[in-house]
């Protein structure tokens, strides 16, 4: 029996990969405008990094990590997200010594042992961005403006931004206790999961999708009514800045995030088109994380987008599959050698040229040129070799013109409008 891939981990095949490249290119273009530099970190880290940052009582750390021992007995984990590894690298490489403000972005695979379904996979890909060192609420708004700029650039409109504030170590403990007190009297109507976690992670109960839990928590105290002065002021100014920048948003005081490092602003870009997996991007502020991981006391804010979900939102949009500039159809051994040399020469000059290697009939070669959607086709046989002239066919216009073989490259560059 042949060996198959792993459940929830997908191949990205030619024909699909164009959508991925389209998204990656749009993200790179937009992020560069805002001054973000790319950072690449390993896909494996010490397990402790994720336990300490994401939080011991989160679903990710409790149930979803790919953790294993290496041959020396070290506990390692395939990264379930990008923020913690980027902060680890930021601290370890003392990037703060170069510049007190860092704007970093990353893209790559993440791993979570979740139940696979549409939009949810075990190996998935994130494009993320993080700003370190700025406390000003304007930066929260700018990160969100950049996110919405990306969606515009990618032509994805079926998304909306929801924001919330999760408070800080000053005000969250009191809110947490208020919520526990509220839940304690209603345990019977909560699902088993929520009954188990209402003491360890009561905010997660607000996020539970089970109808009974949703109903029970409909009247739960709102985090926004329990923010300290500093958090309330920060959140108010984030909203003012978003209005100044004309970035549309709505408040969702029930939004909690599945990672413990968040403080103050938290947000999600949600869509109505993907069923249960409705978050296409998510993030927030993590003002204590860098210090918790042994770095300086610097604030941070960022987000990550799920690339698979973005690709699903692009749907069947026609993206330019790479089309050859020229297909060389050759008849006979001599012509085939000439075509091969011409093709190599064109490739060295930067043109995408293709030919047939199997001595097929002219008809079969033209069929292949059509299948590849080649822009031009050059037909060379014995006669053309003798004349050093050959017909160049414009496949889009359906026209044909005899050209000197020596001028092929120059003419193609002209016709394709390339410098
Ligand atoms: P997250 O909400 O866990 O946040 O993930 C961000 C996004 O990754 C989600 O909104 C979703 O689009 C995508 N995603 C998550 N899990 C899966 C999955 N199993 N399959 C497919 N897509 C998935 C974070 O990871 C934070 N590090 C974001 C962040 C950056 N916060 C601050 N900076």
């Amino acid at each position: 029996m042949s060996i198959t891939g792993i459940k929830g981990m997908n191949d990205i095949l030619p024909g699909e990969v164009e959508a991925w490249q389209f998204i990656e290119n749009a993200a790179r273009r937009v992020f560069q405008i805002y001054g973000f530099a790319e950072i690449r970190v390993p896909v494996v880290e010490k397990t402790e990094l994720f336990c300490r940052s994401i939080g011991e009582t989160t679903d990710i750390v409790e149930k979803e990590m790919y953790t294993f021992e290496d041959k020396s007995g070290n506990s390692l984990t395939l990264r379930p997200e990008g923020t913690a590894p980027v902060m680890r690298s930021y601290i370890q490489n003392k990037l703060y010594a170069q510049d007190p403000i860092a704007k970093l972005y990353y893209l790559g695979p993440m791993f979570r042992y979740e139940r696979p379904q549409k939009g949810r996979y075990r190996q998935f890909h994130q494009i993320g961005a993080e700003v370190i060192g700025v406390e000003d609420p304007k930066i929260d708004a700018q990160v969100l403006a950049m996110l919405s700029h990306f969606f515009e650039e990618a032509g994805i409109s079926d998304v909306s931004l929801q924001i919330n504030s999760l408070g800080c170590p000053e005000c969250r403990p009191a809110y947490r206790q208020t919520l526990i007190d509220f839940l304690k009297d209603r345990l019977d109507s909560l699902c088993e999961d929520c009954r188990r976690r209402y003491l360890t992670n009561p905010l997660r109960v607000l996020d539970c999708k089970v109808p009974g839990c949703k109903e029970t928590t409909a009247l739960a105290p709102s985090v926004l009514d329990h923010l300290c002065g500093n958090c309330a002021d920060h959140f108010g100014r984030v909203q003012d800045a978003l209005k100044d920048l004309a970035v549309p948003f709505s408040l969702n005081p029930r939004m909690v995030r599945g990672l413990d490092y968040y403080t103050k602003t938290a947000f999600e870009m949600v869509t109505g088109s993907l069923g249960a997996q409705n978050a296409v991007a998510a993030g927030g502020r993590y003002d204590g994380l860098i210090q918790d991981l042994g770095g300086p006391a610097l604030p941070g804010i960022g987000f990550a987008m799920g690339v698979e979900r973005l690709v699903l939102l692009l749907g069947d949009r026609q993206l330019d599959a790479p089309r050859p500039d020229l297909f060389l159809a050759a008849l006979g051994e001599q012509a085939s050698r000439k075509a091969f040399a011409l093709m190599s020469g064109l490739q060295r000059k930067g043109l995408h040229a293709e030919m047939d290697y199997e001595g097929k009939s002219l008809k079969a070669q033209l069929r292949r040129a059509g299948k590849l959607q080649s822009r031009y086709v050059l037909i060379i046989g014995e006669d053309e070799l003798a004349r050093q002239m050959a017909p160049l066919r414009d496949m889009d216009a359906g026209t044909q013109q005899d050209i000197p073989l020596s001028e092929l490259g120059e003419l193609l560059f002209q016709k394709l409008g390339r410098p």
Side-chain angles (χ1 to χ4, degrees), residues 60 80-84 106 110 112 114 119-126 128-130 257-259 261-262 267-269 277 279-286 301-309:
I60 297 180
E81 60 107 45
T83 309
Y106 50 91
M110 309 290 159
R112 295 184 195 175
E114 295 195 79
R120 189 162 77 189
Y121 310 98
R122 289 181 174 171
Q123 174 175 315
F124 61 99
H125 296 74
Q126 285 186 345
E130 317 283 354
R257 306 275 302 115
L259 307 98
Y261 50 62
Y262 290 112
F267 54 86
E268 287 185 354
M269 270 288 185
Q277 311 311 317
V280 241
R285 227 173 221 288
Y286 44 86
I301 178 166
F303 63 81
M305 311 190 274
V307 184
E308 282 79 0
R309 296 183 190 177

Side-chain angles (χ1 to χ4, degrees), residues 301-349:
I301 178 166
F303 63 81
M305 311 190 274
V307 184
E308 282 79 0
R309 296 183 190 177
L310 294 170
V311 168
L312 285 168
L313 285 184
L314 283 184
D316 298 332
R317 179 124 46 103
Q318 277 304 315
L319 296 167
D320 291 345
R323 292 178 71 182
D325 299 312
L326 179 73
F327 188 94
L328 295 111
L331 289 167
E333 178 56 21
Q334 289 306 321
S336 176
R337 282 181 62 183
K338 177 70 181 173
F340 187 59
L342 282 171
M343 180 179 75
S344 293
L346 293 172
Q347 287 165 337
R348 292 299 287 261
K349 289 194 174 115

Side-chain angles (χ1 to χ4, degrees), residues 175-226:
Y175 173 65
R176 209 171 161 273
Q177 192 53 53
T178 311
L179 194 57
I180 290 175
D181 293 343
F182 173 87
L183 296 171
K184 201 165 53 200
D185 300 333
R186 295 167 175 80
L187 288 183
D188 289 349
S189 46
L190 296 181
C191 74
E192 208 182 303
D193 252 0
C194 287
R195 275 203 298 269
R196 183 179 54 81
R197 68 187 167 189
Y198 92 99
L199 278 175
T200 52
N201 205 341
L203 271 73
R204 287 304 287 173
V205 179
L206 296 178
D207 198 35
C208 183
K209 303 285 184 287
V210 175
C213 297
K214 272 182 152 172
E215 216 173 285
T216 310
T217 56
L219 293 175
S222 163
V223 64
L224 294 180
D225 296 333
H226 293 79

Side-chain angles (χ1 to χ4, degrees), residues 4 18 103-104 108 112 136 161 182 223 253 288 358 376 392 399:
T4 56
E18 289 76 17
K103 296 183 189 176
L104 304 167
R112 295 184 195 175
D136 194 307
L161 173 63
F182 173 87
V223 64
E358 292 160 30
Y376 290 91
L392 180 69
T399 53

